[in-house]
Amino acid sequence: AQKITQTQPGMFVQEKEAVTLDCTYDTSDQSYGLFWYKQPSSGEMIFLIYQGSYDEQNATEGRYSLNFQKARKSANLVISASQLGDSAMYFCAMREGPAGNQFYFGTGTSLTVIP
Amino acid sequence: ETGVTQTPRHLVMGMTNKKSLKCEQHLGHNAMYWYKQSAKKPLELMFVYNFKEQTENNSVPSRFSPECPNSSHLFLHLHTLQPEDSALYLCASSQGQWGQNTEAFFGQGTRLTVV
């Protein structure tokens, strides 16, 4: 079974609007971490936001927030006030703890921001 | 400036060549990773090193040979590659133990083309 599932291959959003990128995960561990990365066309993977499985509040980092629904095993990324520079691939990832070294990645969502 | 540096950024090699990819991290991390990213596929974990010891080898062909001389440096030695090995190779590092700041930091990748 896939550890991380991203069901939206491509998304479009109008500049200044908010957009939600979906991510569901599969693990039997109680302790795990969820991550979102952005990959522009240059190739570099840029870390955006982290949510720990025991964190009670949703993580936020500037315009990024993570909508964490533990019972549904979902960790959706919300980008508010989209900018043209947000156009990129976005990857959801999970690390199983406490000793897990592997990061499992989804297939990614290509986001295009329309002026 | 990224904390994880990969060289070279681009590499074209023939199937009979031998080349090496280099990765260096200045973040004090003790876990380092090689990932392969092919078009339209999720990131594939190739190797994981934790405290210089290889802890994961995801059925990678022997034409890829990793080397981790210390916690700051990671190499991927390549020989007799196939055209299907053409991809973006990403190096990453992270804290090996669970806790805060557990995200993986990525280099900018080496775009490899096998001709």
Side-chain angles (χ1 to χ4, degrees):
Chain A
Q2 290 274 24
K3 289 278 188 180
I4 296 287
T5 302
Q6 294 180 254
T7 58
Q8 305 155 314
M11 290 280 286
F12 292 86
V13 63
Q14 204 75 37
E15 193 177 6
K16 299 180 185 176
E17 298 285 309
V19 63
T20 298
L21 306 183
D22 294 341
C23 173
T24 57
Y25 59 92
D26 181 28
T27 182
S28 55
D29 282 8
Q30 296 301 309
S31 177
Y32 52 89
L34 297 157
F35 307 80
W36 276 93
Y37 287 85
K38 172 185 178 182
Q39 187 180 39
S41 56
S42 59
E44 182 183 0
M45 295 282 279
I46 302 166
F47 166 72
L48 296 177
I49 195 167
Y50 161 78
Q51 178 87 42
S53 59
Y54 294 118
D55 295 339
E56 293 187 352
Q57 291 196 337
N58 288 342
T60 59
E61 288 286 347
R63 294 187 298 112
Y64 304 108
S65 61
L66 200 152
N67 184 0
F68 181 45
Q69 297 187 43
K70 196 170 183 176
R72 297 178 61 185
K73 293 189 174 178
S74 75
N76 298 339
L77 176 71
V78 181
I79 304 174
S80 62
S82 297
Q83 301 172 358
L84 295 178
D86 293 335
S87 295
M89 284 291 292
Y90 288 82
F91 292 92
C92 180
M94 177 176 66
R95 181 181 187 181
E96 293 170 316
N101 276 336
Q102 284 210 38
F103 287 82
Y104 299 96
F105 283 82
T107 51
T109 295
S110 176
L111 177 67
T112 302
V113 180
I114 304 166
Chain B
E1 178 189 331
T2 178
V4 181
T5 304
Q6 287 187 246
T7 54
R9 293 290 310 279
H10 301 272
L11 178 62
V12 179
M13 59 186 288
M15 289 190 283
T16 58
N17 291 158
K18 288 184 181 181
K19 296 285 184 184
S20 295
L21 310 185
K22 180 182 177 183
C23 176
E24 188 173 356
Q25 58 99 359
H26 308 282
L27 300 168
H29 292 161
N30 44 44
M32 295 187 76
Y33 312 77
W34 279 116
Y35 282 90
K36 176 184 178 183
Q37 187 178 29
S38 305
K40 311 292 184 187
K41 287 186 178 182
L43 271 75
E44 300 171 51
L45 178 66
M46 300 176 73
F47 302 103
V48 181
Y49 278 81
N50 198 18
F51 291 100
K52 301 189 297 177
E53 298 296 322
Q54 185 175 308
T55 57
E56 297 283 345
N57 176 342
N58 277 7
S59 303
V60 180
S62 59
R63 57 186 184 268
F64 295 92
S65 173
E67 179 190 0
C68 188
N70 55 60
S71 292
S72 299
H73 294 85
L74 185 64
F75 295 89
L76 188 62
H77 303 300
L78 317 170
H79 64 99
T80 57
L81 294 191
Q82 304 298 311
E84 60 266 27
D85 297 323
S86 298
L88 180 69
Y89 288 84
L90 289 162
C91 173
S93 71
S94 76
Q95 290 288 63
Q97 299 300 316
W98 193 248
Q100 288 187 337
N101 301 321
T102 55
E103 68 267 27
F105 289 82
F106 283 81
Q108 292 181 302
T110 295
R111 178 105 24 213
L112 173 67
T113 303
V114 181
V115 298

